[in-house]
Structures are given as structure tokens and as C-alpha cells.
Amino acid sequence: MKVDKEYVIRLNGFDLGQVIDGLEVRADAWRMTANYLETGEAPEGFVIEECDDAEEARKLEGHYRRIIGTLMEQMEGQR
């Protein structure tokens, strides 16, 4: 994977928490999409994300989890 330019973005703690929460929601959506594609089961009211297969959904979930991990690591490093 090509690594693009890195950015330094400043947020207060509350805003950073909101960003992380939003990323968690997206990661969970991809996790549940992969689960649906593998098992045919999903929570009521859940909207399946559009992708080719469960493997793609798992990769997207992993991408979101990596971003969350990076943010958490940087946040912890500044406490």
C-alpha cells in the first residue's frame, strides 16, 4: 500500500473522542457486513455496506481499526 503524505491535525480531547467514536461505528459496520456475508445473519435494522465479499469487508474493518489504533497511540503519547 502506498503511503501518502502525513498530516498533523490538532483536536481537543472531546473532538478526538468524537472522531474515534465515529471510526468505531464504521469499523463495526464493516465487521457486521463481513459477518452477514459469511453467515447470512445481521442485527435487525442493520444496513449492509456495499462491497464485493466478506474478505473486502474484513480488510476495510482492519483499515478503520488501524486508524483508531494510530490515533489512540498518539493520544496516549501526549498524556
Side-chain angles (χ1 to χ4, degrees), residues 29-61:
W30 285 110
R31 178 183 52 77
M32 288 188 281
T33 294
N35 185 62
Y36 170 77
L37 293 170
E38 293 168 345
T39 68
E41 298 178 12
E44 187 170 326
F46 175 68
V47 177
I48 305 303
E49 299 295 327
E50 187 175 329
C51 62
D52 291 332
D53 54 30
E55 181 180 349
E56 181 183 9
R58 294 270 180 224
K59 285 180 182 178
L60 287 162
E61 175 196 2

Side-chain angles (χ1 to χ4, degrees), residues 9-11 16 71-79:
I9 298 171
R10 297 187 184 279
L11 297 171
L16 179 56
L71 291 173
M72 297 293 290
E73 182 180 301
Q74 289 180 25
M75 183 176 68
E76 290 298 321
Q78 295 180 48
R79 287 189 177 203

